[in-house]
Amino acid sequence: MEKPNLPFKQSEYDDRLLMVRTAMAMAGLDALLVTDPSNQAWLTGYDGWSFYVHQGVIVTQDADPIWWGRSQDTNGALRTVWMQDDCVIGYSDDHVQSDVKHPMEDLARHLDGLGLRNLGVEMDNYYFSAKAFSVLLQALPNIGFADATGMVNWQRTVKSEAELTYMRKAALISEKIVNGLLDRVEPGVPKNEIVAEIYRDAIRGVEGVWGDYPAIVPLLPSGANAAAPHLTWDGTPFVSGEATFFEISGCYRRYHAPLCRTLFLGTPPEDMKHAEAAVIEGLDAGIDAARAGNRACDVANALDACLQKAGIERAARCGYPIGLSYPPDWGERTISLRAEDETVLEPNMTFHLMPGLWTKDWGLEITESIRICETGPAETFSNMPRQLFAKP
Amino acid sequence: MEKPNLPFKQSEYDDRLLMVRTAMAMAGLDALLVTDPSNQAWLTGYDGWSFYVHQGVIVTQDADPIWWGRSQDTNGALRTVWMQDDCVIGYSDDHVQSDVKHPMEDLARHLDGLGLRNLGVEMDNYYFSAKAFSVLLQALPNIGFADATGMVNWQRTVKSEAELTYMRKAALISEKIVNGLLDRVEPGVPKNEIVAEIYRDAIRGVEGVWGDYPAIVPLLPSGANAAAPHLTWDGTPFVSGEATFFEISGCYRRYHAPLCRTLFLGTPPEDMKHAEAAVIEGLDAGIDAARAGNRACDVANALDACLQKAGIERAARCGYPIGLSYPPDWGERTISLRAEDETVLEPNMTFHLMPGLWTKDWGLEITESIRICETGPAETFSNMPRQLFAKP
């Protein structure tokens, strides 16, 4: 089947596969089962909302990857993966959500024929359940299993030019979303009405850039509820005298560039203005420290020092890598920008620098998606004033 | 903390807890770790987009459930669960996506103090990874583990009146979405523009009913690509001479009522008209067989007989239970409407009756969300003409 719509050139997929095979060889693996949908898409191009059933990509050293999944989803795989049609295999529908047949029994039959010794599996992935592992273990007693959580994710940390192009497009959508909500939010407007426009802006995209669905829905708690970072929305109206943070991301062909801003309806209290100043100074310091050769912890420490100087204690990490992603997370789950992480930064790594403050009385999010440059401080994907917005 | 916004009365949560405890007792479990976000919400009210990190609800026989999760998400739990504040516990942020500390080590310390003998875990859930289980196994050598996949989900199959009210509201949104897209889709309109309006309609909701995010994004492949059930969208325009199916659901307070319709731009070919007639007849027969006392397989067999009579072979199940759900699936993952499933239907069970046809040349989805009635055939949640729509 022809693949006119592959998001990347074949040479880029070849490079990715080589990187993964190298990592596999260094870990002594002759095969890797990739169950993370983001990793599957990055390696093969597979794209579809089918990750609610068991599926995966089998990578070996000497043959093209195999996409394996539910029989009805092979039609989506044939249309989206770069491999030849015989690299797409399916299991029959009576395996789906059955307590008699498990899909991994079908996968085990395929794997059994490959003469494998050591198989890597993504032990800590949403889409590799405890049951999936136990079925494989039982069905393949002669294969050694190794935890390969993050093995593919780590290869994704440094972005190609083509990936950066997609992220820049996503960032244009992020800016459009934030500008739109700053215009529209007023006291009395129900939250869901604003979210409806956020989604409309996000999916319409910008000139020449259609919008894909982001891996996380818009988050926008207000007032004291903004102490809770991950509340979604309801139909209650925005209220004067409260801050609302908006955690959103544009998405283009599964690539993200999150951008968070906070809007106060009325005049922000002194403690929020104080925090705003510290966060802005922290972001500046973090972006300045986010240089090739520095470490992840250097960014976190530079940012946290500004907050501490202002008397603000922050317990959470202040950022994570971003790029290609599927729900439920737009982070890549490798590096964390925190004091304990000594990963050395490389050019074209991309992060969401995210020093959200969630206090008892309010939440404040002013964030940037950034790219590590060859020299000098990081560049931001968006160009949006870095401030706590206020509207009378 | 006051909980003015709980979706259900305390008595309903009490009933649910009693049902789960009874199931636990019958399975010999003195505790259950609930990791499925839908099950967590159904039992405790917890609602937030935080399921991308490890979290769960611990149910025992003699104390209120404990919500356990990331420290920063305890603020969301305090605001959304019905239990007292001391039933909400958190782990520190350095456990998040770390390869040094695993969140389940923290949970194990809590569980270790409870004197448990047999702990049920949801082995085949997206949010209970192979790693999570292996950490618990190692940390708690004196506890017996049992697979409790679906134990809570099965208690959810029969809906309360309050749940049905939410689903009826979701169905109003579903109808609005379908009516809107039938109006708007024209040759030349880019797909993402239609999806933008679908989202806007879904989240704006209808009079007095704000829209929540559905657990699956809109699916709308066209022409031969509609052979693939789970493709999403891009920026290409709709084209004359092609059918597009629209798989969507309105959502109100996490409750769903999916509704799929298909639109042909132009005059549908004879084979699609033939299939349309068979599917409509099959839906009628399925709805008529969907009666309290009949079995899940009776619905599937009645529907499939109509398709087979028309020479159409369908390999997939033709429906699944629906209600409360979080991504990545709006199904409940218990009953399947297929020949092998002999579950007896009960009043107020709710299903998405979903005989999608995905052929080489086109896809056809005409579906209904249904409720099993006390007597007689099922009722549909929506009131939308059951047909293949066509537009010149």
Side-chain angles (χ1 to χ4, degrees):
Chain A
M1 184 166 277
E2 269 193 69
K3 314 290 166 62
N5 200 29
L6 267 178
F8 298 98
K9 287 186 185 159
Q10 187 58 46
S11 59
E12 185 153 346
Y13 289 109
D14 293 345
D15 290 347
R16 296 173 181 184
L17 187 57
L18 180 62
M19 288 159 66
V20 170
R21 282 176 169 160
T22 304
M24 288 166 58
M26 288 173 67
L29 301 179
D30 44 11
L32 177 65
L33 171 61
V34 178
T35 42
D36 183 327
S38 311
N39 292 341
Q40 290 181 50
W42 185 78
L43 273 170
T44 72
Y46 182 71
D47 185 24
W49 189 287
S50 58
F51 38 86
Y52 70 91
V53 294
H54 291 284
Q55 58 183 32
V57 169
I58 307 154
V59 182
T60 56
Q61 289 292 354
D62 52 8
D64 279 349
I66 301 286
W67 187 92
W68 165 86
R70 184 183 187 177
S71 184
Q72 64 177 231
D73 292 318
T74 57
N75 286 325
L78 291 171
R79 281 164 174 77
T80 56
V81 305
W82 57 260
M83 298 88 74
Q84 299 294 310
D85 289 2
D86 59 358
C87 291
V88 172
I89 56 178
Y91 57 83
S92 63
D93 208 72
D94 54 353
H95 290 83
V96 172
Q97 296 169 9
S98 158
D99 50 11
V100 183
K101 293 182 176 184
H102 197 281
M104 286 293 160
E105 295 167 9
D106 179 86
L107 180 65
R109 284 189 286 274
H110 293 293
L111 293 174
D112 208 18
L114 298 180
L116 302 178
R117 286 162 306 165
N118 292 303
L119 173 66
V121 290
E122 297 173 309
M123 289 289 286
D124 213 2
N125 188 269
Y126 314 109
Y127 301 103
F128 190 63
S129 69
K131 179 75 175 180
F133 184 48
S134 79
V135 171
L136 283 183
L137 268 183
Q138 287 208 347
L140 298 168
N142 300 319
I143 292 184
F145 288 86
D147 185 357
T149 303
M151 180 175 281
V152 178
N153 306 61
W154 275 100
Q155 313 313 315
R156 291 163 43 197
T157 53
V158 174
K159 303 296 180 290
S160 69
E161 273 310 313
E163 289 181 294
L164 292 171
T165 302
Y166 286 1
M167 293 178 72
R168 291 191 181 103
K169 291 183 175 180
L172 294 175
I173 300 178
S174 298
E175 288 183 25
K176 177 185 175 188
I177 294 171
V178 172
N179 282 321
L181 66 90
L182 291 174
D183 274 355
R184 293 181 194 116
V185 175
E186 302 280 354
V189 176
K191 281 205 168 173
N192 66 305
E193 293 286 341
I194 295 298
V195 177
E197 303 302 329
I198 288 175
Y199 264 114
R200 186 166 185 258
D201 281 348
I203 308 297
R204 294 192 76 195
V206 298
E207 183 66 31
V209 182
W210 60 273
D212 207 343
Y213 60 92
I216 301 181
V217 298
L219 303 171
L220 60 163
S222 300
N225 282 332
H230 294 121
L231 295 182
T232 51
W233 66 85
D234 59 18
T236 56
F238 289 93
V239 170
S240 285
E242 282 189 350
T244 304
F245 70 73
F246 295 85
E247 187 166 336
I248 61 90
S249 181
C251 184
Y252 180 69
R253 302 198 81 163
R254 310 298 330 125
Y255 281 80
H256 295 74
L259 179 68
C260 311
R261 288 294 183 269
T262 304
L263 173 63
F264 196 97
L265 292 175
T267 306
E270 277 312 306
D271 59 346
M272 279 202 86
K273 295 291 293 177
H274 175 73
E276 175 200 14
V279 167
I280 292 169
E281 194 187 331
L283 284 167
D284 284 342
I287 289 168
D288 191 65
R291 293 165 185 254
N294 279 0
R295 298 163 305 168
C297 56
D298 295 327
V299 180
N301 293 339
L303 192 153
D304 286 341
C306 299
L307 297 181
Q308 279 163 16
K309 198 177 63 180
I312 297 169
E313 285 297 326
R314 241 195 122 257
R317 64 180 182 171
C318 69
Y320 44 79
I322 47 166
L324 172 67
S325 211
Y326 285 83
D329 188 10
W330 60 41
E332 287 183 348
R333 297 180 295 284
T334 48
I335 305 162
S336 284
L337 300 182
R338 61 184 161 204
E340 298 82 4
D341 193 322
E342 303 197 349
T343 309
V344 175
L345 304 179
E346 296 177 47
N348 295 332
M349 284 181 170
T350 51
F351 296 93
H352 186 206
L353 186 56
M354 206 297 181
L357 295 184
W358 305 287
T359 77
K360 189 170 61 62
D361 300 317
W362 44 257
L364 177 66
E365 292 190 0
I366 305 172
T367 76
E368 295 287 358
S369 286
I370 62 172
R371 178 181 78 88
I372 307 298
C373 297
E374 288 64 22
T375 58
E379 69 172 19
T380 61
F381 278 95
S382 287
N383 182 21
M384 172 71 54
R386 220 174 280 158
Q387 64 173 98
L388 166 61
F389 289 88
K391 235 173 154 171
Chain B
M1 184 164 278
E2 272 195 65
K3 315 289 166 63
N5 200 29
L6 268 179
F8 298 98
K9 287 186 185 157
Q10 187 58 48
S11 58
E12 183 153 348
Y13 289 109
D14 294 345
D15 290 347
R16 295 173 180 184
L17 189 56
L18 181 62
M19 288 159 65
V20 169
R21 282 176 169 158
T22 304
M24 288 166 58
M26 288 172 68
L29 302 178
D30 46 8
L32 177 64
L33 171 61
V34 178
T35 42
D36 183 325
S38 311
N39 291 340
Q40 291 181 51
W42 185 77
L43 272 169
T44 71
Y46 182 72
D47 185 26
W49 189 287
S50 58
F51 39 84
Y52 70 92
V53 294
H54 292 283
Q55 58 183 31
V57 169
I58 306 155
V59 182
T60 56
Q61 290 291 353
D62 52 7
D64 279 349
I66 302 286
W67 187 91
W68 165 86
R70 185 183 186 177
S71 184
Q72 64 175 231
D73 292 318
T74 58
N75 286 325
L78 291 171
R79 280 163 176 78
T80 55
V81 306
W82 56 261
M83 299 87 76
Q84 299 295 308
D85 289 3
D86 59 357
C87 291
V88 172
I89 56 177
Y91 58 83
S92 64
D93 208 73
D94 55 353
H95 290 82
V96 173
Q97 296 169 7
S98 158
D99 50 12
V100 183
K101 293 181 177 186
H102 196 280
M104 287 293 159
E105 295 167 10
D106 180 86
L107 180 66
R109 284 189 288 274
H110 294 292
L111 293 175
D112 209 17
L114 299 180
L116 303 177
R117 286 162 306 164
N118 291 304
L119 173 66
V121 290
E122 298 175 307
M123 289 288 286
D124 212 3
N125 188 267
Y126 314 109
Y127 300 102
F128 190 64
S129 70
K131 178 76 176 181
F133 183 48
S134 79
V135 172
L136 283 183
L137 267 184
Q138 287 207 346
L140 297 168
N142 299 320
I143 292 183
F145 288 87
D147 185 357
T149 303
M151 180 176 281
V152 179
N153 306 62
W154 275 100
Q155 314 311 315
R156 291 164 44 199
T157 52
V158 173
K159 303 297 179 291
S160 70
E161 272 310 312
E163 289 181 293
L164 292 171
T165 302
Y166 287 1
M167 292 178 72
R168 290 192 181 103
K169 291 183 174 180
L172 294 175
I173 301 179
S174 298
E175 288 183 24
K176 178 185 174 186
I177 294 171
V178 172
N179 282 321
L181 66 89
L182 290 175
D183 272 355
R184 294 182 193 114
V185 174
E186 302 279 354
V189 176
K191 281 206 167 172
N192 67 305
E193 293 285 342
I194 294 298
V195 176
E197 303 302 329
I198 288 175
Y199 264 114
R200 187 166 184 260
D201 281 347
I203 308 296
R204 295 192 75 195
V206 298
E207 183 67 28
V209 182
W210 60 273
D212 207 343
Y213 59 91
I216 301 180
V217 298
L219 304 171
L220 59 161
S222 300
N225 282 332
H230 295 120
L231 295 182
T232 52
W233 65 84
D234 59 17
T236 56
F238 289 94
V239 171
S240 285
E242 281 188 352
T244 304
F245 69 73
F246 296 86
E247 187 166 338
I248 62 90
S249 181
C251 184
Y252 180 70
R253 302 197 80 165
R254 310 299 328 125
Y255 281 81
H256 296 75
L259 180 68
C260 311
R261 289 293 183 269
T262 304
L263 174 63
F264 197 97
L265 293 175
T267 305
E270 276 313 305
D271 59 346
M272 280 202 86
K273 294 294 292 177
H274 174 74
E276 177 201 13
V279 167
I280 292 169
E281 194 187 331
L283 284 167
D284 285 340
I287 289 169
D288 191 66
R291 293 166 185 253
N294 278 359
R295 300 163 303 167
C297 57
D298 295 327
V299 180
N301 292 340
L303 193 154
D304 286 343
C306 299
L307 298 181
Q308 278 163 17
K309 198 177 64 182
I312 297 169
E313 286 297 326
R314 240 195 124 258
R317 64 180 182 169
C318 68
Y320 46 79
I322 47 166
L324 173 66
S325 212
Y326 285 84
D329 188 11
W330 59 40
E332 288 184 346
R333 296 179 297 283
T334 47
I335 305 162
S336 285
L337 299 181
R338 60 185 162 204
E340 298 84 3
D341 193 323
E342 303 197 350
T343 308
V344 175
L345 305 179
E346 296 177 46
N348 295 332
M349 283 182 169
T350 50
F351 296 93
H352 186 206
L353 185 56
M354 207 295 182
L357 295 184
W358 305 288
T359 77
K360 188 170 61 65
D361 299 318
W362 44 258
L364 176 66
E365 292 190 0
I366 305 172
T367 77
E368 296 287 358
S369 286
I370 61 172
R371 178 182 79 87
I372 307 298
C373 296
E374 288 65 21
T375 57
E379 69 172 20
T380 60
F381 278 95
S382 287
N383 182 19
M384 172 71 53
R386 217 173 281 157
Q387 64 173 98
L388 165 62
F389 289 87
K391 235 174 155 170

